[in-house]
Structures are given as C-alpha cells and as structure tokens.
Amino acid sequence: MRTRFSLLAPDASQISALCLLDLTAAFDTVDHQLLLLQLERQFGLRGIVLAWFLSYLSGRTFRVMFSGCTSSIVYIVCSDPQGSVLGPLLFIVYTADLAAVAEKHAVSLHVDDTQLYLHCRCVDTASAAAQLERCIIDLDVGKPTQAQYRQTELLWAGLRHSLSQQGCCLPMLQLGSDSIAARDQVRLL
C-alpha cells in the first residue's frame, strides 16, 4: 500500500522526500536502563521476567587481546548483546516507539525502520524538510541512538517538471551541526 501511495504522489504534482537513516551504530548505544523501562512500560514485563532481563544485561565486560597483550576490562553499561538470539529482538523492543514518533510528525516510516518519507507540493519543500528534521531529532530525544547523521541520506523524487520548478534549490536537512544535502541517487540495502 505504501509503495502504491508513493507512486501516486507524482500524479498529484507532489514531490517525495526520502530520508535514509543509518542506525548501524545504534546497537552499540542501547541504554540498558531505557531498555528495561521500555520492557516494563510498553510491554508489561514485571517481576521475575524483568529481573531476568536485568541479569542478562548486567555485569557484561569487554577486553581486547592482541599479540599477547591484554587490555584492561571495561564494563559495558550500554549496547545490545550481539551474536545472541535475543540481540535483534531487544533492539526491536528498544526501537518499538519509532513508528509512533514518525506518526506524530505525519512522516511515514518504512521497511526496517530506517526509511522516513513524506510527500509535499513543490512550494512546500522547505516546510517538508523542517518536518523531517523535527521527526529525526525527536527520534533521538531520550534515547542515545546516535543516528549517525553523517551517514543519513536525503533524496527528493518527483516528475522532472516538478523538480525543475525548484531549480537547484531543493532544501537540505540540518541535524545538529550536520548538514544533509540532497543526493541524486541513494542506495537501499
């Protein structure tokens, strides 16, 4: 349904903005306390089940061994345990509210929660860019997902006629100190 909706936007003389977020580093920034709070408040886990998750996340350490040398032990207070069966599931739980945040900003969230898109009239591209900026910033508030803005990509798509009305003035996104310029093409994996 979303794809069909996207394909119909040009027929309505609309331009579409597609913003690809890079959440690859987000696995490393999952805050354990926020994850436990999410498990309790949004998913209703309590008592021994919540205590089990606390035990699973607590007391994790990390150290590096290289060429016979060993680093000191570092205690891990955030990150999603990778290589485990629960890792991807816990990340989904941690990011479960992304759809609600996107909906609050009237922005669509697509596929694997890394694509935001919206449609606008040619004259409204600046306000659409501002809407995307607010949504992305709101996605990061309260959760240190650290969406790597430098890896974020922006694509404006529409009919040539609609895009040519904008000339070379399609807006960029300003996310903190990072400016995300629109690209002519992006790669979806």
Side-chain angles (χ1 to χ4, degrees):
M1 183 66 175
R2 287 180 178 170
T3 303
R4 184 173 176 195
F5 178 66
S6 298
L7 293 174
L8 295 176
D11 290 341
S13 297
Q14 291 185 320
I15 294 176
S16 299
L18 172 66
C19 184
L20 305 175
L21 303 175
D22 180 9
L23 297 180
T24 54
F27 275 93
D28 298 329
T29 60
V30 171
D31 181 291
H32 293 170
Q33 292 304 315
L34 288 175
L35 175 60
L36 291 167
L37 194 63
Q38 187 93 343
L39 286 167
E40 183 178 12
R41 289 187 178 168
Q42 190 164 352
F43 295 94
L45 300 184
R46 297 197 189 338
I48 197 163
V49 175
L50 192 61
W52 183 88
F53 277 102
L54 174 63
S55 172
Y56 176 74
L57 295 169
S58 300
R60 293 188 171 272
T61 60
F62 177 78
R63 72 176 169 184
V64 176
M65 297 173 72
F66 181 73
S67 293
C69 297
T70 303
S71 71
S72 57
I73 292 176
V74 175
Y75 288 91
I76 301 172
V77 294
C78 67
S79 84
D80 190 3
Q82 295 177 35
S84 71
V85 174
L86 284 178
L89 176 66
L90 290 176
F91 187 72
I92 289 169
V93 166
Y94 188 70
T95 59
D97 59 348
L98 292 181
V101 172
E103 187 176 319
K104 176 179 122 182
H105 290 279
V107 172
S108 297
L109 189 66
H110 190 53
V111 183
D112 58 359
D113 298 338
T114 61
Q115 298 175 31
L116 299 172
Y117 69 94
L118 55 78
H119 312 293
C120 65
R121 297 178 311 151
C122 295
V123 296
D124 296 329
T125 55
S127 62
Q131 189 176 349
L132 275 173
E133 289 170 356
R134 287 189 302 273
C135 181
I136 293 167
I137 289 167
D138 201 11
L139 288 173
D140 281 347
V141 171
K143 285 189 179 176
T145 55
Q146 308 286 323
Q148 295 178 354
Y149 297 141
R150 289 183 193 99
Q151 300 299 320
T152 298
E153 296 180 301
L154 173 66
L155 174 75
W156 291 96
L159 296 175
R160 269 187 220 162
H161 172 72
S162 299
L163 292 172
S164 67
Q165 288 178 348
Q166 294 297 310
C168 60
C169 300
L170 286 168
M172 63 176 54
L173 299 179
Q174 188 64 45
L175 303 169
S177 61
D178 294 317
S179 296
I180 312 302
R183 296 184 180 202
D184 294 332
Q185 59 185 9
V186 293
R187 186 173 173 195
L188 297 174
L189 299 176

